[in-house]
Amino acid sequence: MLANKFGRALGLAVLALSMGGAAQSALAADYQPAIIYDLGGKFDKSFNESAFHGAERFKKETGIAYREFELQNENQREQALRNFARRGYSPIIGVSFSQAVAMEKVAKEFPKTEFAIIDAVVEAPNIHSVVFKEEEGSYLVGLLAGMKTQTGKVGFVGGMDIPLIRKFACGYVQGVKAANPKAEVFQNMTGTTGDAWNDPVKGGELAKSQFDRGADIVYHAAGATGLGVLQAAADAGKLGIGVDSNQDYLHPGHVLTSMMKRVDNAVFRIFKAGEDGKLHGGVEVLGLQEDGVGWSLDEYNEKLITPDMKTAADKARTEIIAGTLKVHDYTTDQKCPVE
């Protein structure tokens, strides 16, 4: 009798657990996040790939799958957003400012769908915008470059010539000059169209021209184009500085550091907020204080960073967060206080 009662109780418990698991699975099935990578692809080892890692982290931690799409040309942006929205996906993340116009249009057509965009501000009730304080992270890697250079000449190679990339460059120059006021900073942009993010050959050529002029360190903010910059640095026996993702491992001993732009954290937070029903329109700004930007130090570059360099970077980080050190944001007035 007791055994039968115990068996029934155990059976009910198992049934309850099974039903709970089924309910959880149903909820997971109802939640359908999606992400659209920009030109350059999700394996660009930089901006898009950082977003990909954030999406993968969400899937691993929650068990919830997501859908993705890699743009092959600029005309696919609106089509991809609309296709995901029609099929019930939400939230839909657009990686890159270049998706802003298309997203604003599609979001109006699907007011009950949540959207999110990285690197742009789109004012709409169902679009969550995430932007970064790239100037803060760029200042820190510039400070390290200014302390490390032996020639007093360093460089910067940007991707598409837009205010956002000028923001990286200006922060970098401010950091270089803080460490070495007499340093010379060469600057080149790769192009004026989306192709500028995916041209490693030209990136390498621009970096080589800066090395030929005496630079011994070149920082890139150019997506997949920057892979050519880092290769050129390694080939010349010089130093490169990576961006967005940690790129130190690509050429150990030849990448001084990487300016970490935590797009991965942003994507994870968006997907998680959507799962929790807490994703809403508005603007989120991620800087040093929010762990949105920073610089890398690992086994691949630790021999390049002296104790004095690390101390200086840590001090500057603390002062920027405290507000006692101000780094100018190029996008506020389209100007840079130093050249």
Side-chain angles (χ1 to χ4, degrees):
M1 186 74 169
L2 182 61
N4 288 338
K5 286 183 178 179
F6 178 76
R8 285 196 298 271
L10 181 60
L12 287 171
V14 171
L15 179 61
L17 285 172
S18 176
M19 290 177 66
Q24 189 173 19
S25 298
L27 287 173
D30 290 340
Y31 182 59
Q32 301 184 93
I35 185 168
I36 301 172
Y37 304 106
D38 202 46
L39 300 175
K42 69 178 179 180
F43 294 125
D44 63 357
K45 302 187 186 304
S46 186
F47 182 73
N48 284 305
E49 190 158 333
S50 181
F52 167 69
H53 288 312
E56 284 291 290
R57 176 186 160 200
F58 173 80
K59 182 173 73 172
K60 182 178 180 180
E61 292 190 12
T62 65
I64 299 174
Y66 65 93
R67 289 297 300 271
E68 61 184 6
F69 185 78
E70 296 180 71
L71 295 175
Q72 301 302 314
N73 61 69
E74 296 184 3
N75 296 326
Q76 291 181 321
R77 294 190 177 104
E78 186 176 321
Q79 180 184 12
L81 286 163
R82 188 174 287 108
N83 283 345
F84 274 138
R86 282 174 176 164
R87 291 153 65 186
Y89 288 92
S90 180
I92 303 168
I93 299 178
V95 182
S96 172
F97 67 92
S98 61
Q99 301 193 46
V101 174
M103 183 173 289
E104 184 174 21
K105 180 178 180 179
V106 176
K108 289 179 181 178
E109 299 173 15
F110 298 88
K112 294 184 179 180
T113 300
E114 294 292 343
F115 295 84
I117 189 161
I118 306 291
D119 268 358
V121 174
V122 181
E123 296 183 1
N126 58 333
I127 299 179
H128 182 78
S129 303
V130 180
V131 292
F132 296 82
K133 295 181 179 179
E134 293 91 353
E135 72 279 6
E136 294 183 350
S138 295
Y139 180 97
L140 296 183
V141 300
L143 185 72
L144 294 170
M147 295 181 72
K148 188 69 174 180
T149 179
Q150 299 295 307
T151 63
K153 297 178 181 180
V154 300
F156 174 85
V157 174
M160 190 174 176
D161 191 357
I162 52 175
L164 173 63
I165 300 305
R166 294 283 175 182
K167 186 180 182 182
F168 281 87
C170 183
Y172 176 65
V173 176
Q174 289 174 79
V176 171
K177 296 287 188 177
N180 190 342
K182 295 183 180 180
E184 188 174 358
V185 184
F186 306 129
Q187 298 184 47
N188 291 107
M189 297 292 177
T190 305
T192 57
T193 69
D195 293 338
W197 305 119
N198 200 25
D199 193 347
V201 172
K202 187 169 183 180
E205 292 172 348
L206 292 173
K208 186 178 184 301
S209 71
Q210 294 182 358
F211 290 133
D212 289 344
R213 294 169 66 188
D216 55 357
I217 304 170
V218 174
Y219 171 38
H220 87 84
T225 295
L227 299 179
V229 173
L230 299 181
Q231 183 66 59
D235 291 345
K238 309 294 185 182
L239 295 172
I241 297 177
V243 80
D244 295 336
S245 296
N246 184 341
Q247 299 182 319
D248 300 353
Y249 72 96
L250 293 176
H251 301 282
H254 290 286
V255 180
L256 178 63
T257 185
S258 297
M259 199 292 274
M260 300 282 285
K261 179 172 172 178
R262 301 306 302 270
V263 180
D264 56 335
N265 286 347
V267 168
F268 177 84
R269 288 164 67 165
I270 291 166
F271 277 177
K272 196 71 180 68
E275 181 196 10
D276 297 339
K278 297 179 179 178
L279 186 65
H280 307 289
V283 181
E284 188 175 9
V285 182
L286 304 179
L288 287 173
Q289 186 168 8
E290 298 79 18
D291 195 28
V293 295
W295 64 284
S296 59
L297 180 62
D298 54 31
E299 68 270 29
Y300 300 108
N301 71 332
E302 60 185 358
K303 293 182 179 178
L304 300 172
I305 305 295
T306 67
D308 285 347
M309 291 168 65
K310 184 178 185 304
T311 297
D314 289 345
K315 180 174 181 288
R317 179 182 184 277
T318 299
E319 292 176 346
I320 291 170
I321 291 174
T324 55
L325 173 57
K326 304 289 186 182
V327 183
H328 181 71
D329 176 356
Y330 176 89
T331 59
T332 60
D333 59 5
Q334 311 292 297
K335 295 179 182 178
C336 191
V338 292
E339 295 296 335

